[in-house]
Amino acid sequence: MSILIITEHDNQSLKPVTLNLVTAAQQIGGDIDLLVAGENAQGAAEAAATIGGVRKVILADNAAYAHQLAENVSKLVVELADGYSHILAPGTTTGKNIAPRVAALLGVNQLSDIISVEAADTFKRPIYAGNAIATVKSADAVKVMTVRGTAFDAAEAAGGSAVIEACGAVHQHADVSFVGEELAKSDRPELTAASVVISGGRGMGNGENFELLNKVADKLGAAVGASRAAVDAGFVPNDMQVGQTGKMVAPELYIAVGISGAIQHLAGMKDSKVIVAINKDEEAPIFQVADYGLVADLFEAVPELENRL
Amino acid sequence: MKVLVAVKRVIDYNVKVRVKSDRSDVDLANVKMALNPFCEIAVEEAVRLKEAGTASEVVVVSIGSKSCQEQLRTALALGADRAIQVEAADQLDSLSVARILQKIAEEESADLILLGKQAIDSDNNQTGQMLAALMDRPQATFASEVVVEGETLKVTREVDGGLQTLSLKLPAVVTTDLRLNEPRYASLPNIMKAKKKPLDVKTPEELGAQLAAGVELVSVEPPAERQAGIKVSSVEELVDKLRNEAKVVA
């Protein structure tokens, strides 16, 4: 068996989720190749080549792949697909954009967001927002799937010395073009990759009060998230949302501040190793999943927490 | 511009799902069903395009047993002009659904095809992308804003790091994210009117759509329950526990 992983990167560097995908691929078993499709993406390809256990890195470096548009990358993957038993993409907005197109062009179905490898053809995946876990078996000749990064440990980022093979194939769909992007700038780690996450809910009261969480986050090297209620209230932007319709996180430590614990939110963070809840309502459902619950006014407790860390 | 909207009948999002005791699937017997929330947003967007004079006609399609006509009527009450039910199994796989939709889109000469980004039952997030691939047309998934400029669409997408804007030439496929719009409530007169709007029934065979081999569902289990931990009485105690018991803070 051999496995092709569609890596996620920003051309210069590889996104950490790629390491989790390598672990998933190792559990499936077989040779592991990584595809870096980008523009001026030598840096990302070199990072990919140092991951332990990788056979080769395929670098498709062309302006057509600069923004990893699904129309272009999917056709590239289909061209490379011959001989692979599995094609893996991360369960991110980029991976979910590309993988179904690849599957449809190959004439196979796709498995979304797998969380465990039971056998080379059998996987577990959450359905109904994680309220049920399905075991699914694919008889397709090539298994195309997206992988939930937080469900697999990260592989060793160093120690490998795979060859980088250039691929000159260019696929440019004439009817789509990139206009622009507004990416949130932050010195903090990305939500889905952070080992500590501190999130605020409606109880934060307004966007300015998130500064209290930022201060704690800076001390812990944490990412800052939010509940859907806080996003819908306009406190913070959408990309901070943790939950069923936002990001799925599973850090070592998750601190929920002023979050009641709607099912929507729990679906996005209940796989965290240690959960702390700070809420003044002792009946809040968040306490039913928290390892450590503190019934307190967050405006007193959070600054004190910052001081004691 | 003709708009085709694909919708799915799913468990109502307020209902707590239960796994059957034999673990073969979730239990959908006597459970309240509804229009998938992301599909509802897609219908709303199409109707707004029609109200703005941009869209000439809004056609809704659903694939499943006769019961999905209920959701098609809901979409008609929200303002769609006519509906098509494609008679098939209720939990058809994404590729088969995409192949059927491709035939409908061709038959209807649809310029814009709107779908929800995912259904809240299978959580697949695949059908729109598969449809766009089969048609070899551009796609904009996770849309939070759609602007029509003649034969071109400018779509803002909610991506992991923030927002991305793409320009797509029609025909194109767009899948909706949560914040594209807030769907209206159907008024009683519109619900009555919807009953008289045309609803055609077709089969995959009539359409010439070839069904794919589905993925086998081996079993379904409830997720591991998380046990509630302890309450701490102070921030001091909390920090002590995190340092010395859980060892997650240095």
Side-chain angles (χ1 to χ4, degrees), chain B residues 134-154:
Chain B
L134 295 176
M135 297 174 70
D136 196 21
R137 294 309 305 163
Q139 70 186 36
T141 51
F142 312 103
S144 65
E145 195 188 6
V146 177
V147 180
V148 183
E149 296 168 342
E151 293 298 300
T152 304
L153 284 185
K154 210 161 154 195

Side-chain angles (χ1 to χ4, degrees), chain A residues 8 67 69-71 75 92-93 96-97 100-101 103-105 107-112 124-138 173-184 220 228 231-232 238-239 241 244-245 247 252-253 270-276 278 282 287-295 301 304-305 308-309, chain B residues 11 16-17 19 25-26 28 38 91 93-96 99 117-118 120-126 129-130 132-134 136-139 141-142 154 157-169 177-179 212-223 226-236 238-239 241-243 245-246 248-249:
Chain A
E8 184 139 332
H67 302 285
L69 297 184
E71 293 80 355
K75 287 202 174 160
T92 57
T93 50
K96 288 177 178 174
N97 204 32
R101 267 191 104 107
L105 293 175
V108 298
N109 261 298
Q110 190 234 300
L111 302 173
S112 290
K124 285 191 179 179
R125 57 174 303 263
I127 53 175
Y128 296 89
N131 289 305
I133 307 295
T135 302
V136 290
K137 189 172 175 178
S138 164
H173 198 292
D175 292 342
V176 61
S177 59
F178 173 85
V179 176
E181 62 191 358
E182 286 171 50
L183 299 183
L220 292 172
R228 179 172 165 187
V231 172
D232 283 350
N238 299 345
D239 54 290
Q241 185 181 324
Q244 181 187 348
T245 51
K247 296 203 169 81
E252 296 290 312
L253 172 61
K270 66 183 168 55
D271 293 328
S272 306
K273 294 237 167 58
V274 175
I275 296 175
V276 169
I278 300 174
E282 64 179 315
F287 288 122
Q288 289 163 22
V289 301
D291 299 287
Y292 302 108
L294 176 63
V295 180
E304 190 187 340
L305 177 63
R308 288 184 181 274
L309 287 169
Chain B
I11 190 168
K16 182 156 171 53
V17 294
V19 172
D25 205 340
V26 299
L28 292 180
F38 294 107
Q91 294 293 338
D93 61 280
S94 305
L95 183 58
S96 297
R99 284 176 175 170
K117 71 167 178 181
Q118 70 191 65
I120 61 165
D121 51 2
S122 56
D123 283 337
N124 272 327
N125 196 329
Q126 299 169 351
Q129 295 90 310
M130 286 185 164
L134 295 176
D136 196 21
R137 294 309 305 163
Q139 70 186 36
T141 51
F142 312 103
K154 210 161 154 195
R157 308 176 55 227
E158 289 194 30
V159 295
D160 284 335
L163 299 172
Q164 181 191 64
T165 306
L166 297 178
S167 172
L168 322 174
K169 285 215 186 82
D177 215 323
L178 199 62
R179 293 178 184 85
V215 169
E216 185 195 341
L217 183 63
V218 179
S219 64
V220 175
E221 61 197 286
R226 207 179 166 103
Q227 300 296 318
I230 58 160
K231 288 260 171 64
V232 291
S233 57
S234 67
V235 174
E236 187 179 1
L238 173 63
V239 173
K241 293 281 185 196
L242 292 177
R243 273 206 183 110
E245 194 175 86
V248 286
V249 168

Side-chain angles (χ1 to χ4, degrees), chain A residues 74-149:
Chain A
S74 58
K75 287 202 174 160
L76 171 68
V77 174
V78 169
E79 188 177 321
L80 296 168
D82 202 26
Y84 288 107
S85 56
H86 298 73
I87 298 174
L88 273 52
T92 57
T93 50
T94 309
K96 288 177 178 174
N97 204 32
I98 296 169
R101 267 191 104 107
V102 172
L105 293 175
L106 292 172
V108 298
N109 261 298
Q110 190 234 300
L111 302 173
S112 290
D113 255 337
I114 66 151
I115 55 169
S116 94
V117 176
E118 303 295 300
D121 62 353
T122 308
F123 307 89
K124 285 191 179 179
R125 57 174 303 263
I127 53 175
Y128 296 89
N131 289 305
I133 307 295
T135 302
V136 290
K137 189 172 175 178
S138 164
D140 283 321
V142 50
K143 287 145 187 71
V144 182
M145 61 191 83
T146 57
V147 177
R148 182 169 293 181

